[in-house]
Amino acid sequence: MVPKTLGELRQSGRRSRPVKQEIRDNLVRKLQANESLFPGIIGYDETVIPQLVNAILSRHNFILLGLRGQAKSRILRALVDLLDEQIPVVPGCEIHDDPLAPLCAACRSKIAREGDAMAIAWLPREQRFVEKLATPDVTIADMVGDIDPIKAAQAGLNLSDELTMHYGLLPRAHRGIFAINELPDLAGKIQVGLFNVLQEGDVQIKGYPIRLKLDVLMVFTANPEDYTARGKIITPLKDRIGSEIRTHYPSTRHHAMAITSQEAWTDRKDALPVEIPTYVREVVEEIAFQARADRKVDKRSGVSQRLPITALELVASNAERRALANGEPVAVPRVTDVYAALPSITGKFELEYEGELRGAEQVARDLIRSAVGNVFTGVFEGVDTRTVAEWFDLGGSLLLSDGTAAAEVIAQTCGVHGLRELAERAGAGKGASAPSVASAIDFVLEGLYAQKKISRSDERGYVAAEAAPRRAARREEQNIEEEIRIPGSKKKYYN
Ligand SMILES: [Zn+2]
């Protein structure tokens, strides 16, 4: 039975423990039971999670250092699962005082007055996590609190009496977890305030010393470069952070695809079934890998995993739009749909000077093309694709767009010798639906274009590649200019 009064709580034999001990105890139990520790956090099993476990076992305050979109905030929020499901509190106390060890004067006098008959309340663990994004305008009042002179005057109290205190975020995280994102953005003065509360359990507000023996697990995130930059973090605060844990982007395309399919909203049973071919998922993922390695993209700010997540959502939507317009029973995204995801890509990275000159949209187009080339090479390693290229060399050309119905794509390309066989190899085998076959055909054409075996332009679609390499290079430039000139056109000619 859950105790309802202070007396029942005392009889239950329940002992208060500091929050770091509570989290440690629960972690130890999970480790003994061989439970999965951070469900939904993918690709960190051998790197981040062991370090995190060690920090928690050591009862450290810790900081996650990493670039944007590396699941830092998500990891911090997952710590809630390591708290007890609920803890007893003094009802109405703003800082969730422990009935067995109250901090504030109001609770102490309430307990003295009511004794064992005092009713207690239970606080669920979700309410014990306080999160704050650090910005330069955060004040001591926001973080620690302020003195309320009116409250003091009305109650006839001295200003330094804690009853006159209006609590900030940190005291409200008492007995819980306090997470500060982007710690280096916090002004030095506020860092000093935090440090004082952590170290001494007291703080000065407007010159009045206030005592607050708070019990919190402090966790932080920061961009590694900001964190190590001299003067960004005051040394005593850095000293109090027991562990620095580096996060990273997924190290394999396989991990990255698992994260994206977990996070992206593509399971849209409300309209049509959306069937995303593996090569489309791979291309979307590869864009982020290419961007992270591209010298035109700023390495210090990184390329968020949200890029492939939101891109895949737009890719699915573009396929839905086409399927709905053409009355098709299933939406199968094509590689060409990735260009419709440009609005989700261009904002997800910062450009270096060279990239600025080229423009975000063109950089993104280049990334898509090299991503397609990379994935295509993987699928068609050692496969002869010459017959298809020859069809274009003999003067064949195709005019397709991302709105072309599946049946139309198949009809237009049926004379291209060898194309259907390659499409089968990409996954559209016997019995595949028309939208799947059309998608596979599109993948082959975009792949050959990425490998420069055929060319494509917005006006003339897919056509033969130029034979002489030097001329081909010039042609390339010209195509790029055409793409810049007519960004609205979605028609593509392959030949
Ligand atoms: Zn209290």
Side-chain angles (χ1 to χ4, degrees), residues 414-431:
C414 67
V416 186
H417 192 61
L419 182 53
R420 191 61 185 264
E421 287 70 24
L422 293 180
E424 274 182 30
R425 193 183 175 86
K430 298 263 178 296

PDB file of all heavy atoms in Angstrom, residues 414-431:
ATOM      1  N   CYS A 414      10.072   1.114 -72.433  1.00  0.00           N
ATOM      2  CA  CYS A 414      10.054  -0.318 -72.751  1.00  0.00           C
ATOM      3  C   CYS A 414      10.985  -0.657 -73.914  1.00  0.00           C
ATOM      4  O   CYS A 414      11.445  -1.790 -74.033  1.00  0.00           O
ATOM      5  CB  CYS A 414       8.637  -0.826 -73.002  1.00  0.00           C
ATOM      6  SG  CYS A 414       7.896  -0.136 -74.486  1.00  0.00           S
ATOM      7  N   GLY A 415      11.310   0.328 -74.757  1.00  0.00           N
ATOM      8  CA  GLY A 415      12.201   0.042 -75.878  1.00  0.00           C
ATOM      9  C   GLY A 415      13.684   0.129 -75.517  1.00  0.00           C
ATOM     10  O   GLY A 415      14.547  -0.161 -76.349  1.00  0.00           O
ATOM     11  N   VAL A 416      13.981   0.529 -74.282  1.00  0.00           N
ATOM     12  CA  VAL A 416      15.396   0.685 -73.902  1.00  0.00           C
ATOM     13  C   VAL A 416      15.952  -0.669 -73.506  1.00  0.00           C
ATOM     14  O   VAL A 416      15.620  -1.210 -72.441  1.00  0.00           O
ATOM     15  CB  VAL A 416      15.561   1.684 -72.727  1.00  0.00           C
ATOM     16  CG1 VAL A 416      17.041   1.941 -72.465  1.00  0.00           C
ATOM     17  CG2 VAL A 416      14.831   2.981 -73.028  1.00  0.00           C
ATOM     18  N   HIS A 417      16.766  -1.216 -74.386  1.00  0.00           N
ATOM     19  CA  HIS A 417      17.255  -2.574 -74.197  1.00  0.00           C
ATOM     20  C   HIS A 417      18.076  -2.701 -72.907  1.00  0.00           C
ATOM     21  O   HIS A 417      18.977  -1.912 -72.669  1.00  0.00           O
ATOM     22  CB  HIS A 417      18.104  -2.972 -75.408  1.00  0.00           C
ATOM     23  CG  HIS A 417      18.403  -4.431 -75.431  1.00  0.00           C
ATOM     24  ND1 HIS A 417      17.420  -5.401 -75.513  1.00  0.00           N
ATOM     25  CD2 HIS A 417      19.582  -5.099 -75.362  1.00  0.00           C
ATOM     26  CE1 HIS A 417      17.967  -6.585 -75.500  1.00  0.00           C
ATOM     27  NE2 HIS A 417      19.276  -6.443 -75.402  1.00  0.00           N
ATOM     28  N   GLY A 418      17.708  -3.664 -72.078  1.00  0.00           N
ATOM     29  CA  GLY A 418      18.474  -3.938 -70.857  1.00  0.00           C
ATOM     30  C   GLY A 418      17.999  -3.176 -69.632  1.00  0.00           C
ATOM     31  O   GLY A 418      18.377  -3.512 -68.516  1.00  0.00           O
ATOM     32  N   LEU A 419      17.175  -2.169 -69.839  1.00  0.00           N
ATOM     33  CA  LEU A 419      16.764  -1.328 -68.691  1.00  0.00           C
ATOM     34  C   LEU A 419      15.903  -2.106 -67.696  1.00  0.00           C
ATOM     35  O   LEU A 419      16.099  -2.029 -66.476  1.00  0.00           O
ATOM     36  CB  LEU A 419      16.022  -0.088 -69.212  1.00  0.00           C
ATOM     37  CG  LEU A 419      15.553   0.935 -68.166  1.00  0.00           C
ATOM     38  CD1 LEU A 419      16.697   1.373 -67.267  1.00  0.00           C
ATOM     39  CD2 LEU A 419      14.937   2.165 -68.839  1.00  0.00           C
ATOM     40  N   ARG A 420      14.968  -2.875 -68.227  1.00  0.00           N
ATOM     41  CA  ARG A 420      14.071  -3.625 -67.353  1.00  0.00           C
ATOM     42  C   ARG A 420      14.852  -4.642 -66.503  1.00  0.00           C
ATOM     43  O   ARG A 420      14.558  -4.834 -65.318  1.00  0.00           O
ATOM     44  CB  ARG A 420      13.001  -4.311 -68.210  1.00  0.00           C
ATOM     45  CG  ARG A 420      11.843  -4.928 -67.442  1.00  0.00           C
ATOM     46  CD  ARG A 420      11.086  -3.848 -66.649  1.00  0.00           C
ATOM     47  NE  ARG A 420      10.046  -4.466 -65.829  1.00  0.00           N
ATOM     48  CZ  ARG A 420       8.775  -4.577 -66.192  1.00  0.00           C
ATOM     49  NH1 ARG A 420       8.375  -4.093 -67.355  1.00  0.00           N
ATOM     50  NH2 ARG A 420       7.903  -5.159 -65.407  1.00  0.00           N
ATOM     51  N   GLU A 421      15.886  -5.249 -67.112  1.00  0.00           N
ATOM     52  CA  GLU A 421      16.710  -6.225 -66.384  1.00  0.00           C
ATOM     53  C   GLU A 421      17.431  -5.538 -65.217  1.00  0.00           C
ATOM     54  O   GLU A 421      17.521  -6.074 -64.114  1.00  0.00           O
ATOM     55  CB  GLU A 421      17.737  -6.892 -67.306  1.00  0.00           C
ATOM     56  CG  GLU A 421      17.168  -7.912 -68.285  1.00  0.00           C
ATOM     57  CD  GLU A 421      16.315  -7.294 -69.403  1.00  0.00           C
ATOM     58  OE1 GLU A 421      16.512  -6.082 -69.708  1.00  0.00           O
ATOM     59  OE2 GLU A 421      15.445  -7.996 -69.950  1.00  0.00           O
ATOM     60  N   LEU A 422      17.934  -4.346 -65.501  1.00  0.00           N
ATOM     61  CA  LEU A 422      18.623  -3.608 -64.431  1.00  0.00           C
ATOM     62  C   LEU A 422      17.635  -3.229 -63.328  1.00  0.00           C
ATOM     63  O   LEU A 422      17.957  -3.264 -62.134  1.00  0.00           O
ATOM     64  CB  LEU A 422      19.309  -2.362 -64.996  1.00  0.00           C
ATOM     65  CG  LEU A 422      20.485  -2.608 -65.952  1.00  0.00           C
ATOM     66  CD1 LEU A 422      21.065  -1.283 -66.427  1.00  0.00           C
ATOM     67  CD2 LEU A 422      21.577  -3.447 -65.293  1.00  0.00           C
ATOM     68  N   ALA A 423      16.413  -2.856 -63.735  1.00  0.00           N
ATOM     69  CA  ALA A 423      15.384  -2.491 -62.752  1.00  0.00           C
ATOM     70  C   ALA A 423      15.072  -3.687 -61.856  1.00  0.00           C
ATOM     71  O   ALA A 423      14.882  -3.551 -60.648  1.00  0.00           O
ATOM     72  CB  ALA A 423      14.132  -1.996 -63.463  1.00  0.00           C
ATOM     73  N   GLU A 424      15.043  -4.877 -62.467  1.00  0.00           N
ATOM     74  CA  GLU A 424      14.791  -6.086 -61.681  1.00  0.00           C
ATOM     75  C   GLU A 424      15.881  -6.290 -60.645  1.00  0.00           C
ATOM     76  O   GLU A 424      15.640  -6.649 -59.501  1.00  0.00           O
ATOM     77  CB  GLU A 424      14.721  -7.315 -62.595  1.00  0.00           C
ATOM     78  CG  GLU A 424      13.335  -7.533 -63.153  1.00  0.00           C
ATOM     79  CD  GLU A 424      13.227  -8.768 -64.031  1.00  0.00           C
ATOM     80  OE1 GLU A 424      13.975  -9.739 -63.779  1.00  0.00           O
ATOM     81  OE2 GLU A 424      12.419  -8.740 -64.969  1.00  0.00           O
ATOM     82  N   ARG A 425      17.097  -6.022 -61.076  1.00  0.00           N
ATOM     83  CA  ARG A 425      18.227  -6.173 -60.158  1.00  0.00           C
ATOM     84  C   ARG A 425      18.117  -5.206 -58.977  1.00  0.00           C
ATOM     85  O   ARG A 425      18.545  -5.504 -57.863  1.00  0.00           O
ATOM     86  CB  ARG A 425      19.525  -5.922 -60.924  1.00  0.00           C
ATOM     87  CG  ARG A 425      20.711  -6.366 -60.113  1.00  0.00           C
ATOM     88  CD  ARG A 425      22.014  -6.079 -60.790  1.00  0.00           C
ATOM     89  NE  ARG A 425      23.061  -6.442 -59.870  1.00  0.00           N
ATOM     90  CZ  ARG A 425      23.545  -7.675 -59.760  1.00  0.00           C
ATOM     91  NH1 ARG A 425      23.116  -8.632 -60.537  1.00  0.00           N
ATOM     92  NH2 ARG A 425      24.479  -7.936 -58.856  1.00  0.00           N
ATOM     93  N   ALA A 426      17.535  -4.034 -59.238  1.00  0.00           N
ATOM     94  CA  ALA A 426      17.375  -3.040 -58.173  1.00  0.00           C
ATOM     95  C   ALA A 426      16.262  -3.412 -57.202  1.00  0.00           C
ATOM     96  O   ALA A 426      16.066  -2.749 -56.188  1.00  0.00           O
ATOM     97  CB  ALA A 426      17.100  -1.665 -58.780  1.00  0.00           C
ATOM     98  N   GLY A 427      15.522  -4.455 -57.512  1.00  0.00           N
ATOM     99  CA  GLY A 427      14.512  -4.905 -56.561  1.00  0.00           C
ATOM    100  C   GLY A 427      13.116  -5.045 -57.133  1.00  0.00           C
ATOM    101  O   GLY A 427      12.223  -5.536 -56.463  1.00  0.00           O
ATOM    102  N   ALA A 428      12.888  -4.579 -58.374  1.00  0.00           N
ATOM    103  CA  ALA A 428      11.553  -4.677 -58.959  1.00  0.00           C
ATOM    104  C   ALA A 428      11.463  -5.958 -59.786  1.00  0.00           C
ATOM    105  O   ALA A 428      11.459  -5.924 -61.010  1.00  0.00           O
ATOM    106  CB  ALA A 428      11.258  -3.445 -59.813  1.00  0.00           C
ATOM    107  N   GLY A 429      11.407  -7.077 -59.107  1.00  0.00           N
ATOM    108  CA  GLY A 429      11.387  -8.370 -59.783  1.00  0.00           C
ATOM    109  C   GLY A 429       9.998  -8.736 -60.282  1.00  0.00           C
ATOM    110  O   GLY A 429       9.100  -7.892 -60.338  1.00  0.00           O
ATOM    111  N   LYS A 430       9.833 -10.016 -60.625  1.00  0.00           N
ATOM    112  CA  LYS A 430       8.539 -10.521 -61.125  1.00  0.00           C
ATOM    113  C   LYS A 430       7.454 -10.236 -60.096  1.00  0.00           C
ATOM    114  O   LYS A 430       7.645 -10.418 -58.898  1.00  0.00           O
ATOM    115  CB  LYS A 430       8.639 -12.029 -61.349  1.00  0.00           C
ATOM    116  CG  LYS A 430       9.672 -12.435 -62.401  1.00  0.00           C
ATOM    117  CD  LYS A 430       9.026 -12.677 -63.756  1.00  0.00           C
ATOM    118  CE  LYS A 430      10.057 -13.041 -64.827  1.00  0.00           C
ATOM    119  NZ  LYS A 430      11.014 -11.947 -65.115  1.00  0.00           N
ATOM    120  N   GLY A 431       6.320  -9.754 -60.581  1.00  0.00           N
ATOM    121  CA  GLY A 431       5.198  -9.508 -59.684  1.00  0.00           C
ATOM    122  C   GLY A 431       5.253  -8.157 -58.976  1.00  0.00           C
ATOM    123  O   GLY A 431       4.364  -7.842 -58.197  1.00  0.00           O
TER     124      GLY A 431
END
